[in-house]
Amino acid sequence: MTGRRRTEDGVVLPTRLMVFSISAVALAGLVFVATQGSDDADKAKPASSQSQPTFGPRDNTAPTITPTSTPTVTATTTPKPPPVINKAKTNVVIFNNSNVKGLAGRTASKATTLTWNVVATDNWYGTVDATTVYYGKNMKAAAQALAKDLGIARVKPAIAPMQFDRLTVILTGDYKPS
């Protein structure tokens, strides 16, 4: 081996070549970003849905168009009957999340009087923004009916740790039983 000695440092490039390479990569990146745009301008837009009459080279008169009458068809839809809710078979738990002593018990008595199947009352430990009826899968209509019966404005899907096979009522300080 004569001449150059190779070390573990690698090959050293001249400074001008390195600056040129970095500049070329940066410029390519800028061109790429600058040419990116919305694809909306490239999409073709459909022509008007009404066709215009065409005239032949020797024909300078417009064709006569006579309106045709089409029979009016009205769709009759029968409204769906409201779902049947069996209050006596719908399990309900009522929690008090307020400083009002006995609120859950009094609300449970009212719900029971209205034939709802109240299976438990207790205190709720946690934070709930407003009095809410929570419902499990396929129980939204029942939750809306219970909320109406109790004068509660908010109905939402149940969340953990609630049980999803029943309606859960959480009463807060904003609830004013009637």
Side-chain angles (χ1 to χ4, degrees):
M1 280 195 158
T2 58
R4 295 187 177 151
R5 291 180 97 193
R6 190 171 182 137
T7 64
E8 290 183 350
D9 294 334
V11 177
V12 178
L13 295 176
T15 305
R16 288 184 186 167
L17 180 60
M18 188 169 35
V19 170
F20 176 75
S21 298
I22 292 172
S23 298
V25 170
L27 184 60
L30 286 173
V31 169
F32 176 77
V33 170
T35 59
Q36 295 302 311
S38 127
D39 290 336
D40 293 339
D42 294 338
K43 290 184 181 173
K45 295 186 177 166
S48 173
S49 62
Q50 295 179 346
S51 63
Q52 298 295 327
T54 58
F55 304 104
R58 295 185 186 171
D59 186 8
N60 291 332
T61 61
T64 305
I65 301 173
T66 58
T68 59
S69 62
T70 56
T72 306
V73 178
T74 57
T76 57
T77 58
T78 57
K80 276 192 201 178
V84 177
I85 300 165
N86 189 342
K87 296 179 182 181
K89 290 187 177 181
T90 304
N91 293 334
V92 178
V93 291
I94 301 176
F95 292 98
N96 186 354
N97 190 38
S98 73
N99 292 329
V100 180
K101 188 173 183 175
L103 183 60
R106 286 192 303 277
T107 304
S109 295
K110 180 178 178 180
T112 303
T113 302
L114 297 169
T115 68
W116 289 97
N117 184 27
V118 178
V119 295
T121 61
D122 203 349
N123 291 320
W124 182 263
Y125 300 99
T127 304
V128 177
D129 297 338
T131 298
T132 308
V133 177
Y134 294 92
Y135 59 90
K137 186 176 183 181
N138 299 325
M139 297 184 76
K140 185 174 183 177
Q144 290 170 332
L146 176 62
K148 183 178 178 184
D149 284 353
L150 297 178
I152 297 172
R154 204 163 102 154
V155 176
K156 294 179 106 180
I159 55 173
M162 298 172 189
Q163 295 176 330
F164 296 95
D165 65 338
R166 62 196 63 207
L167 300 177
T168 301
V169 179
I170 300 181
L171 306 168
T172 62
D174 68 344
Y175 180 65
K176 307 291 184 230
S178 52

